[in-house]
Amino acid sequence: MLHRVFPHPLLTLTLVAVWMMLVNQITLGSLLFAAILGTIIPIFTAPYWPDRPLIRAPIGMAVYVALVMYDIVKSNFIVAGIVLFKPNSQLRPAWVTVPLDLIKPEAITMLAGTITMTPGTLTADMSGDGKALLIHCLHAPNPDEVRDEIKTRYEARLKGYSNDPICPEFCVRLLRLRAFVQSLAHFPRARRYHPRFGAGYDGDQCHRDSGAVRHQHP
Amino acid sequence: METFAEILISVMLVGAGLFGLIGSYGLLKLPSTMTRLHAPTKATTLGVGGVLIASMLYFLLLQGRLSFHELLITVFLLLTAPITANFIAKAHLHRYGEEDDLPDTGTTRDWATFEEQETDMEALMIRPAPGTVMTKPDH
């Protein structure tokens, strides 16, 4: 019953917090309205989120956010220092490949965002199968060091906090969501258009799922 | 007390302004598109963050009321800055694709920006000959 009223407790909490911040004052009226919004919106939008982001350790996540905040401030000073005091001729920009252990799209997104916001690194691309990230470093005399730091400092933590596949059913949903994210990765090229079958042709699904067979007319 | 608060807020504002200036200067100074991308995504974050903290301090210390919708701006900033940077980087790779400069993915597939759609379309779909009709099997 409680689950039916609040299908997504985390979304409810987020909506309440965001509404309170928008109103910018804590009164009973705005709190009540925030509660109404926080109840109604998750119920009506339920069909649109195929899978909820699972945060297995809220305290761990808070520690992670604090760590990232600290690193953002640090990175601001480092980048400012490079901009002001390092001549362009001494700059060593580099591309780095970071192989991913994370599977969940939400976790990968968080890692990519973290990398962009922290010292001298920037996420530029992902491999087609979602197993590696392409990082650009502003100044990296030793690119391997950068990769190792990202893996130990951020990815290991994210893995511990949010990325354990729990049950087979969960794994299946995860794979489906991942396929969806990968189709988004190909956004710039038209994928769902085929000269013969027209728009909406789905190369992956058409033959296999509908069980269609081709007959050659004589 | 009031003087102290004013000094604190002024320091935050001036510091934030400096970081914004350094970010803009970086945009001019750095040598290539990819390196130029670093300056605005980072140095500016602290610039805007400093202004927001100064705003919260001003309302809290001088006006005597709690103002916290600045936190919302921070959240939106932290959400959008990496995505903007990623889109600019991807657009840069598309336009001036220096595919040879990029390192290997280390997996079986190429970087998403450069991946040839034709290769996996071919594997999924054998082009039907002219006059081919698609039907469902009878059950």
Side-chain angles (χ1 to χ4, degrees):
Chain A
M1 182 58 206
L2 199 65
H3 184 74
R4 192 168 292 176
V5 180
F6 299 107
H8 196 332
L10 202 64
L11 182 62
T12 305
L13 281 179
T14 314
L15 283 168
V16 169
V18 167
W19 184 258
M20 294 312 285
M21 282 190 221
L22 275 175
V23 177
N24 202 21
Q25 55 192 1
I26 302 174
T27 58
L28 195 62
S30 55
L31 198 63
L32 195 69
F33 197 65
I36 293 171
L37 285 178
T39 317
I40 288 176
I41 293 176
I43 292 174
F44 280 102
T45 57
Y48 300 108
W49 19 268
D51 195 10
R52 300 152 215 192
L54 266 183
I55 296 178
R56 288 165 60 77
I59 297 169
M61 250 4 229
V63 172
Y64 181 79
V65 169
L67 178 87
V68 171
M69 286 290 180
Y70 170 74
D71 283 352
I72 288 173
V73 175
K74 204 173 77 181
S75 92
N76 273 280
F77 280 97
I78 292 173
V79 171
I82 291 174
V83 166
L84 285 180
F85 303 118
K86 204 171 270 294
N88 283 349
S89 56
Q90 280 183 28
L91 214 54
R92 297 275 172 275
W95 292 102
V96 179
T97 305
V98 177
L100 287 172
D101 291 327
L102 297 170
I103 316 165
K104 279 189 75 176
E106 293 92 355
I108 294 175
T109 311
M110 267 197 81
L111 181 69
T114 309
I115 290 168
T116 300
M117 299 310 288
T118 48
T121 49
L122 198 138
T123 314
D125 207 352
M126 186 171 79
S127 70
D129 49 6
K131 283 181 189 158
L133 284 178
L134 178 63
I135 310 292
H136 185 263
C137 305
L138 179 58
H139 179 67
N142 190 355
D144 289 345
E145 230 168 64
V146 176
R147 190 196 55 216
D148 292 343
E149 198 195 336
I150 287 169
K151 295 227 38 121
T152 52
R153 193 172 172 88
Y154 304 118
E155 196 190 9
R157 288 170 206 258
L158 275 176
K159 204 171 157 61
Y161 298 151
S162 63
N163 200 51
D164 300 322
I166 301 154
C167 60
E169 183 218 357
F170 177 66
C171 286
V172 169
R173 284 202 287 172
L174 191 141
L175 286 173
R176 221 186 296 144
L177 196 66
R178 188 168 158 187
F180 172 66
V181 169
Q182 280 167 10
S183 72
L184 287 184
H186 297 303
F187 167 68
R189 292 166 197 249
R191 185 191 178 81
R192 299 275 177 250
Y193 181 80
H194 185 270
R196 193 173 178 83
F197 304 120
Y201 170 74
D202 193 339
D204 307 53
Q205 303 297 323
C206 186
H207 305 313
R208 289 181 195 162
D209 287 358
S210 64
V213 268
R214 280 187 286 274
H215 293 296
Q216 191 78 44
H217 275 279
Chain B
M1 178 60 204
E2 197 143 300
T3 334
F4 174 72
E6 274 170 8
I7 290 172
L8 189 64
I9 293 164
S10 310
V11 167
M12 293 301 296
L13 281 176
V14 171
L18 273 178
F19 270 103
L21 192 67
I22 293 169
S24 315
Y25 172 64
L27 212 53
L28 281 174
K29 182 230 171 194
L30 291 170
S32 68
T33 309
M34 284 312 292
T35 49
R36 273 197 290 274
L37 206 47
H38 286 273
T41 48
K42 295 194 188 73
T44 321
T45 317
L46 205 61
V48 181
V51 174
L52 296 175
I53 292 171
S55 159
M56 285 174 80
L57 284 175
Y58 171 77
F59 281 108
L60 191 67
L61 298 177
L62 296 180
Q63 303 272 315
R65 67 190 166 87
L66 193 63
S67 169
F68 45 88
H69 60 1
E70 285 86 351
L71 291 175
L72 203 58
I73 304 177
T74 316
V75 170
F76 287 147
L77 200 71
L78 290 186
L79 282 180
T80 51
I83 296 170
T84 316
N86 181 251
F87 267 59
I88 296 174
K90 274 195 88 130
H92 174 73
L93 289 177
H94 268 289
R95 270 193 86 171
Y96 307 100
E98 317 133 334
E99 197 173 355
D100 300 335
D101 297 351
L102 301 183
D104 204 38
T105 51
T107 67
T108 49
R109 295 185 45 184
D110 203 359
W111 296 113
T113 309
F114 292 107
E115 199 161 49
E116 284 296 326
Q117 279 302 290
E118 281 70 22
T119 51
D120 66 0
M121 282 300 267
E122 256 167 41
L124 289 164
M125 180 193 72
I126 307 108
R127 266 157 223 244
T132 309
V133 181
M134 307 237 326
T135 47
K136 286 218 169 203
D138 300 320
H139 287 296

